[in-house]
Amino acid sequence: MSLLWRDRIESLLWRDQIQVFFAPGRVDMVRTFRGIKSRQSPAISKIYEYQQDTAMWKTSLQQLEQMIEKENAASDLKGAELIITLSNHFVRYVVVPPQQEITNSAELLAYANFSMREVFGERVDSWVVSISDEDPYQGTVCAAIARNLYNEFEALASRHRIKLKQIEPYLTAAFDQWCRSFNDKRFWFVVIEPGRLCMILFSNSEWKGIRNQRIVHSIETELLAALEQEVINSGYREPIEQVYLFSPEHPDLDLTIDKGWQFAHLPTEKMPVPLHFPSFSYRS
């Protein structure tokens, strides 16, 4: 369910790519060198304390700028494409139910903005909204990020003479990585980061609900509570609900079959984690 800000045009094969994971307290970066034989540089990670009294993204943006400056000094980045996977801390979501009467993308985006406003109010005026690949029968996932953060990414790319190719939420980037292995008619997909969980429900060929919340106490307790609340909201429950769980920064998370929930931990052997995604181990 590709959900992107910026264009959906295929990358030019001769352009290098800078892939970034951008979150509060960490930035991960990998460079792919294009040529006759494509190769990737080792992943670089910066993990740090961020200022609580400023916007969460400001320190991360400073770290990303320094990483790009260092990479540019080592090897010219001019013309490279910047691809950013954005932590769910910075994204707000809604699911738009199937709208078969809507006939084009412009109408769907307008309806998605309306749906966002119903949930989040006037804050939507300062956000940039995007929608997933439209399907009149499945519904649409809608996401929004702060316009000033979006503008800062554009300005950073311009300063370093690189192209801001795309920004994608962590939830949908992770989902797209593994969705081909999901054969269930109904399942939950959950991404857990430090201090946040984000989940989406797919049932009977439709997107049914989405939840993005802070984690304050025990991950296990809050995850099970959130799933219980959302299954009630969905109006239906299977005897055993299937949950696909991606939590690379919490390798010791222990969730087995409990209260009707069956957890499958990602990644799979055939589809590993993208190199720029975060991991538990510190990479330098």
Side-chain angles (χ1 to χ4, degrees):
M1 59 169 168
S2 297
L3 201 162
L4 311 173
W5 290 273
R6 305 289 292 185
D7 61 66
R8 300 173 185 266
I9 300 173
E10 290 296 321
S11 300
L12 296 176
L13 295 179
W14 54 266
R15 280 184 169 164
D16 287 2
Q17 288 188 343
I18 304 296
Q19 292 175 290
V20 170
F21 179 79
F22 188 93
R26 80 176 295 153
V27 178
D28 299 76
M29 188 175 82
V30 174
R31 181 175 182 176
T32 301
F33 294 87
R34 294 298 180 88
I36 297 175
K37 292 185 177 180
S38 178
R39 62 183 178 88
Q40 284 188 312
S41 65
I44 303 169
S45 293
K46 296 295 182 182
I47 302 173
Y48 46 86
E49 295 292 329
Y50 61 90
Q51 297 293 327
Q52 297 285 348
D53 57 347
T54 61
M56 284 193 300
W57 52 263
K58 287 190 175 181
T59 307
S60 296
L61 190 70
Q62 293 169 359
Q63 291 291 333
L64 177 58
E65 182 107 43
Q66 293 172 12
M67 293 163 76
I68 288 178
E69 287 175 350
K70 185 176 181 179
E71 182 66 27
N72 202 18
S75 179
D76 188 15
L77 287 175
K78 183 179 179 181
E81 295 178 336
L82 178 61
I83 297 172
I84 297 173
T85 301
L86 195 61
S87 162
N88 293 315
H89 282 276
F90 301 123
V91 187
R92 298 296 175 262
Y93 299 96
V94 296
V95 166
V96 179
Q99 304 293 324
Q100 297 182 36
E101 69 278 9
I102 292 179
T103 58
N104 58 63
S105 298
E107 289 181 359
L108 184 58
L109 183 59
Y111 188 81
N113 272 275
F114 170 78
S115 299
M116 271 280 179
R117 190 174 297 276
E118 281 193 314
V119 176
F120 297 105
E122 294 181 358
R123 287 180 291 171
V124 178
D125 293 336
S126 61
W127 296 349
V128 180
V129 175
S130 180
I131 54 176
S132 63
D133 295 336
E134 57 187 288
D135 186 322
Y137 300 101
Q138 284 190 350
T140 303
V141 179
C142 177
I145 61 174
R147 181 173 288 107
N148 53 358
L149 174 57
Y150 179 89
N151 291 341
E152 288 289 349
F153 284 142
E154 285 195 317
L156 181 148
S158 177
R159 285 194 297 274
H160 295 282
R161 299 183 298 172
I162 58 181
K163 174 182 172 58
L164 180 57
K165 172 64 179 177
Q166 68 186 46
I167 307 167
E168 184 172 18
Y170 192 22
L171 175 70
T172 59
F175 180 88
D176 289 344
Q177 183 71 17
W178 288 287
C179 62
R180 291 187 297 277
S181 64
F182 304 159
N183 297 317
D184 314 81
K185 292 182 179 179
R186 176 182 171 93
F187 63 86
W188 304 79
F189 181 75
V190 183
V191 175
I192 296 181
E193 304 176 64
R196 183 158 294 270
L197 67 84
C198 190
M199 64 176 65
I200 190 165
L201 170 62
F202 187 80
S203 181
N204 295 323
S205 302
E206 292 182 18
W207 300 112
K208 291 293 188 180
I210 197 164
R211 185 186 187 102
N212 186 13
Q213 71 174 56
R214 287 195 304 157
I215 300 173
V216 180
H217 303 294
S218 160
I219 296 174
E220 292 87 348
T221 299
E222 294 202 28
L223 173 58
L224 287 171
L227 286 167
E228 290 290 343
Q229 291 172 8
E230 287 301 310
V231 80
I232 292 172
N233 292 339
S234 76
Y236 174 77
R237 183 173 198 143
E238 291 281 353
I240 299 293
E241 291 277 343
Q242 179 66 52
V243 182
Y244 292 96
L245 181 65
F246 181 56
S247 55
E249 294 168 276
H250 299 280
D252 299 326
L253 195 60
D254 184 19
L255 290 162
T256 55
I257 294 179
D258 182 21
K259 300 178 182 178
W261 299 97
Q262 179 169 283
F263 295 91
H265 292 261
L266 298 169
T268 64
E269 291 183 3
K270 293 183 179 180
M271 286 178 277
V273 178
L275 193 57
H276 69 288
F277 274 24
S279 66
F280 177 73
S281 60
Y282 181 79
R283 301 187 299 229
S284 60

